[in-house]
Amino acid sequence: MEPFLGGGEGSQRYGNPSGSHSIARDAVRALDEARERIAEALGCRVGEVVFTSGGTEADNLAVTGGMPPRSGSPVCSAVEHPAVLEPTRALGGSTVGVDRFGRVDPAELARALSESDRPSVVSVMTANNELGTVNDIDAVAAVRDEHAPGVPLHTDAVQAAAWLDLPVRVAAADMVSVSAHKLGGPKGVGALVVRDGVQVSPLLRGGGQERGRRGGTSNVAGIVGFAAALSASVRDRRQRAERVAALRDDMARRLVCMDGVEPTVDDPSVEVLPGHCHLLVRGVVGEELLLLLEYSGVCASAASSCASGAVGGSHVVEAIGAVDPDVAPLRLTLGADTTPADVDATVDALADAIRRTTGARAGTP
Ligand code: PLP
């Protein structure tokens, strides 16, 4: 990324790719190469990649259809990220219930599509960011084909992209959101894949960049970093996923042995992303548990991490019917760098945190 950020020796590659002079050409080439690498990794055509400022913008563009919005109203699953839920609500759309693992229920989706006057888009995430559960996008597309033929299908693959074989998993979707920072890339850059023939108007109007689908000078350094991160992620995906899933399974096995700790997804046949471990901890106060874990160096959360550290209720836990005042949801995620020692430390930290919170309330020091 460095040469494109400008300054020092790299400043000769600091050109604006929308420019026509010679210094722009380097930036254009870098942008073209990055687009090719990203298209290959996502299994789409080069012209189908629309660079955005991240997953949120990609989701907003897909769900609204741009500005002016598509006619009709969006239909999305109840456990979508707020970047999908909020524009859906703003446009008077509806949400579809999920099963107790957070996966969209095909019968519910069929009902919602038949009841909706004029669905403008169907949006179902590839994998949920809190629970890690994976949706079958082919099955969702089949329901769409039967009950709302011709309505574009969007999938938010932001959380899934680092772990699943996206070209296969999302082949049936008309639009796919991805974000670089979920793959080890820079924050503030992502893309929406818009398949040929699917209409979107730009949300941001300006210089007509991204083939008229997103105005604004391209974030060349960010896009170059995104392409490098995505290529690297695809290259080692299989081994990384196996290694992290084994660590996660070992951690989950040890954690659910503790009193009051249960796995939220308690059916081993349900596919969960390799790095996700979602638990329900009985008899503790969620905020206390998170604080104690943090003191021990374990950064966990109760819901998604988007609300700037706020500990609020989780719409995902609510949608799966797991809200219980005596139970604290706990989301632990492992990444590419997680080690067996991290897992040991997490197991010790949770045991200690539970002992302390329950002990404190029982009056023991
Ligand atoms: N969608 C999902 C499923 C996410 O997990 C996130 C971020 O956590 C987003 C969208 C938003 O992406 P970004 O942070 O790039 O705006």
Side-chain angles (χ1 to χ4, degrees):
M1 293 169 66
E2 235 171 14
F4 304 97
L5 290 169
E9 291 191 359
S11 58
Q12 72 278 13
R13 305 192 76 184
Y14 186 57
N16 177 348
S18 309
S20 53
H21 33 65
S22 61
I23 197 172
R25 277 199 282 278
D26 241 7
V28 172
R29 204 170 310 122
L31 206 55
D32 287 349
E33 276 172 25
R35 203 184 297 277
E36 274 167 31
R37 291 173 83 179
I38 287 171
E40 191 189 339
L42 299 179
C44 68
R45 288 178 216 264
V46 169
E48 294 175 333
V49 177
V50 179
F51 289 121
T52 65
S53 62
T56 300
E57 187 190 327
D59 284 348
N60 272 257
L61 179 58
V63 172
T64 61
M67 204 203 39
R70 270 186 216 101
S71 59
S73 50
V75 174
C76 74
S77 91
V79 297
E80 295 297 313
H81 188 275
V84 167
L85 276 178
E86 289 301 317
T88 296
R89 287 192 187 121
L91 293 174
S94 52
T95 57
V96 177
V98 291
D99 67 12
R100 69 187 181 94
F101 306 119
R103 298 171 304 180
V104 84
D105 180 338
E108 282 266 338
L109 180 61
R111 196 158 53 81
L113 290 178
S114 323
E115 280 171 7
S116 170
D117 244 5
R118 244 178 352 136
S120 56
V121 64
V122 178
S123 184
V124 174
M125 65 207 316
T126 316
N128 183 260
N129 45 309
E130 290 187 31
L131 304 169
T133 38
V134 177
N135 276 303
D136 180 345
I137 299 302
D138 288 341
V140 171
V143 174
R144 182 275 316 264
D145 289 344
E146 191 178 340
H147 297 275
V151 171
L153 170 62
H154 166 244
T155 189
D156 174 340
V158 167
Q159 202 73 205
W163 304 107
L164 303 181
D165 184 5
L166 274 204
V168 173
R169 299 291 191 125
V170 304
D174 300 304
M175 292 175 285
V176 183
S177 301
V178 281
S179 176
H181 73 103
K182 301 293 180 188
L183 302 149
K187 293 172 181 63
V189 60
L192 180 68
V193 173
V194 183
R195 307 260 188 233
D196 284 346
V198 177
Q199 285 303 313
V200 290
S201 313
L203 269 181
L204 302 180
R205 287 171 185 270
Q209 287 88 349
E210 298 300 303
R211 295 191 176 183
R213 294 167 296 187
R214 202 267 188 186
T217 299
S218 307
N219 173 2
V220 181
I223 289 167
V224 165
F226 178 18
L230 182 57
S231 305
S233 170
V234 167
R235 213 177 309 129
D236 78 348
R237 181 181 59 79
R238 224 180 278 271
Q239 302 92 295
R240 178 168 36 87
E242 267 173 33
R243 191 185 74 78
V244 172
L247 279 180
R248 186 271 317 275
D249 290 345
D250 173 47
M251 182 178 83
R253 214 172 14 248
R254 291 157 70 187
L255 295 179
V256 300
C257 289
M258 297 176 194
D259 261 358
V261 180
E262 283 171 23
T264 312
V265 180
D266 58 2
D267 179 343
S269 71
V270 173
E271 185 180 12
V272 176
L273 292 179
H276 274 68
C277 176
H278 197 280
L279 302 168
L280 297 171
V281 187
R282 185 167 291 280
V284 299
V285 176
E287 285 89 337
E288 279 176 26
L289 191 68
L290 292 179
L291 268 179
L292 286 167
L293 285 173
E294 183 153 9
Y295 287 146
S296 309
V298 176
C299 299
S301 61
S304 69
S305 55
C306 299
S308 60
V311 182
S314 156
H315 68 287
V316 176
V317 173
E318 196 180 325
I320 62 170
V323 173
D324 178 334
D326 294 329
V327 171
L330 181 65
R331 172 192 188 254
L332 296 164
T333 50
L334 294 78
D337 302 331
T338 307
T339 63
D342 294 330
V343 166
D344 292 344
T346 304
V347 172
D348 289 347
L350 187 64
D352 188 50
I354 291 176
R355 202 167 33 242
R356 290 222 233 163
T357 49
T358 48
R361 245 163 310 115
T364 43

